Amino acid sequence: MGRVYNFSAGPAVLPESVLKEAAEEMLDYRGSGMSVMEMSHRSKVYDGIIKEAEADLRKLMNIPDNYKVLFVQGGASLLFASVPMNLMKNKKAGYVLTGQWAKKAYQEARIYGEAVELASSADETFSYIPDCSDLPITDDMDYVYICENNTIYGTKFRTLPNTKGKILVADQSSCFLSEPVDVTKYGLIYAGVQKNVGPAGVQVVIVREDLISDDVLPGTPTMMKFKTHADNDSLYNTPPCYGIYICGKVFKWILDMGGLEAMKVHNEKKARILYDFLDSSELFKGTVRKEDRSLMNVPFVTGNEELDAKFVKEATAAGFVNLKGHRTVGGMRASIYNAMPIEGVEKLVAFMTKFEAENK
């Protein structure tokens, strides 16, 4: 069959050059006589791999020295609990609800303290980002939490909330490394890598050093303390070694592309092709308020469930896979992460144009 155009929301498309390089090194990594999959995480060779990955990520994002970079396991969903366990000193935090993942994080935080809903876009099926310029933040809140890009609903914070001096915590899973970020505006950024950076099983946590301490909620497991990973350079236990190795290759691929500035230009160009088509189409409609559209996840519908199903089926047969929308919203969704080539989007739009002509 050959390679398809994979529009999956995650695990998602990876750069072909990275996959080829990993394939070449599969049996023998640079003369070590073994695969990275078989290598001790305590070995000198692997230590070089994880340190280089961190150094390249720091370069890419311009991460200041007073922030730690951690590679951890457990999915972004585990971070929903780790964040309050490590940061909820006053047992109170504010959450902006812009979709399913923000809502899940909010519900998890309520187990550990008082999670306050500061704003929500649930009233219009999370199709926009609420105004966060003057949120009801109180002095006793430990942090303000956002999910910066909504994978399911296709929205993205263009302007970060005014946190009134409180630390900002952001789940960036589905927009991580898609454009430049000013790390200093956040206390903590985390991301599951299986959308833009690597295989499932690795989370990157970027956390300001003053937020790392032994002063965590009672009962916090050792493995969920940021300090455990920070003190041990992400090698407290066996990390997801192979996943981190692939992430390191993707970091290099982005650097070779010209870094995050170039990646943003590439992503904007790609998204514009699809959004321009949706805006002019009589059959397909985007579901998100224009100013809040994500560059990474593009949901759309025909307005007819049977036609949606027909489109997904025919698109799959034509080599455009994983276009079915999330089960909670239906319709279609094209996730066009960093590694999706521009021609993938161009060919999808050509296919959609043809489908529209045949199904008017």
Side-chain angles (χ1 to χ4, degrees):
M1 183 178 186
R3 296 278 290 170
V4 294
Y5 288 111
N6 178 10
F7 292 94
S8 168
V13 59
L14 285 169
E16 209 163 299
S17 59
V18 166
L19 296 176
K20 282 179 176 157
E21 202 175 288
E24 281 163 20
E25 294 174 346
M26 178 55 86
L27 292 177
D28 177 6
Y29 176 74
R30 300 189 183 173
S32 65
M34 62 178 116
S35 172
V36 175
M37 276 188 196
E38 308 167 288
M39 206 172 268
S40 164
H41 61 298
R42 306 275 176 221
S43 67
K44 204 171 170 194
V45 183
Y46 190 74
D47 198 55
I49 291 172
I50 193 168
K51 290 220 169 35
E52 197 171 325
E54 181 184 331
D56 284 341
L57 180 61
R58 284 185 174 278
K59 196 189 302 177
L60 264 180
M61 292 182 75
N62 204 7
I63 299 172
D65 291 343
N66 66 323
Y67 283 75
K68 287 280 191 193
V69 172
L70 316 174
F71 296 105
V72 300
Q73 302 176 68
S77 298
L78 192 71
L79 268 297
F80 296 168
S82 301
V83 166
M85 283 177 166
N86 283 270
L87 301 184
M88 233 190 212
K89 317 286 187 201
N90 294 323
K91 295 280 192 87
K92 192 173 179 184
Y95 280 69
V96 181
L97 305 190
T98 48
Q100 190 138 319
W101 304 115
K103 203 166 138 192
K104 285 189 171 178
Y106 164 74
Q107 286 162 343
E108 192 77 12
R110 291 172 71 183
I111 299 169
Y112 304 101
E114 188 189 344
V116 179
E117 182 185 309
L118 295 173
S120 170
S121 52
D123 60 336
E124 289 182 33
T125 331
F126 301 120
S127 59
Y128 69 100
I129 297 288
D131 178 9
C132 294
S133 58
D134 187 18
L135 298 168
I137 296 165
T138 53
D139 279 349
D140 54 353
M141 285 182 185
D142 292 300
Y143 59 85
V144 172
Y145 181 103
I146 61 169
C147 178
E148 198 162 323
N149 185 84
N150 286 282
T151 325
I152 295 175
Y153 300 96
T155 59
K156 164 80 163 69
F157 278 83
R158 292 269 160 254
T159 309
L160 292 176
N162 172 6
T163 62
K164 301 182 180 176
K166 297 296 170 191
I167 59 173
L168 178 64
V169 174
D171 172 357
Q172 285 190 358
S173 292
S174 53
C175 60
F176 193 57
L177 301 186
S178 62
E179 57 186 331
V181 165
D182 181 354
V183 176
T184 62
K185 289 182 174 170
Y186 306 79
L188 188 153
I189 292 169
Y190 72 86
V193 304
Q194 70 277 10
K195 299 171 186 301
N196 244 344
V197 190
V202 184
Q203 277 53 248
V204 175
V205 179
I206 300 165
V207 55
R208 215 171 61 211
E209 279 178 353
D210 59 296
L211 303 176
I212 303 170
S213 74
D214 278 322
D215 176 22
V216 293
L217 296 189
T220 299
T222 304
M223 279 295 289
M224 288 173 77
K225 290 179 187 171
F226 295 145
K227 194 171 192 314
T228 302
H229 301 287
D231 287 352
N232 294 281
D233 296 327
S234 301
L235 292 163
Y236 171 75
N237 70 328
T238 311
C241 299
Y242 196 79
I244 294 167
Y245 152 79
I246 298 287
C247 291
K249 289 198 176 304
V250 175
F251 299 155
K252 284 211 184 307
W253 174 77
I254 299 173
L255 284 166
D256 290 345
M257 291 273 289
L260 296 185
E261 288 287 352
M263 199 44 89
K264 183 182 188 207
V265 171
H266 167 72
N267 287 328
E268 284 177 340
K269 187 176 169 188
K270 205 162 50 176
R272 195 175 303 122
I273 295 166
L274 186 47
Y275 283 125
D276 283 354
F277 170 74
L278 290 172
D279 289 342
S280 64
S281 169
E282 286 172 31
L283 179 64
F284 296 102
K285 293 278 170 284
T287 56
V288 174
R289 193 166 76 181
K290 275 188 186 179
E291 58 268 34
D292 298 326
R293 285 170 167 176
S294 165
L295 291 180
M296 299 283 101
N297 311 98
V298 184
F300 55 96
V301 294
T302 64
N304 177 320
E305 278 184 30
E306 281 169 31
L307 209 50
D308 286 355
K310 184 184 183 198
F311 173 78
V312 170
K313 192 179 173 192
E314 290 184 12
T316 304
F320 305 101
V321 304
N322 295 315
L323 281 165
K324 192 171 193 265
H326 191 272
R327 61 186 181 276
T328 57
V329 289
M332 283 74 67
R333 170 181 52 175
S335 292
I336 49 175
Y337 297 122
N338 286 350
M340 172 57 67
I342 281 186
E343 80 253 11
V345 178
E346 288 170 342
K347 285 180 179 173
L348 174 64
V349 165
F351 177 81
M352 289 168 77
T353 306
K354 181 171 164 279
F355 184 89
E356 178 166 346
E358 290 165 1
N359 291 275
K360 261 189 179 166

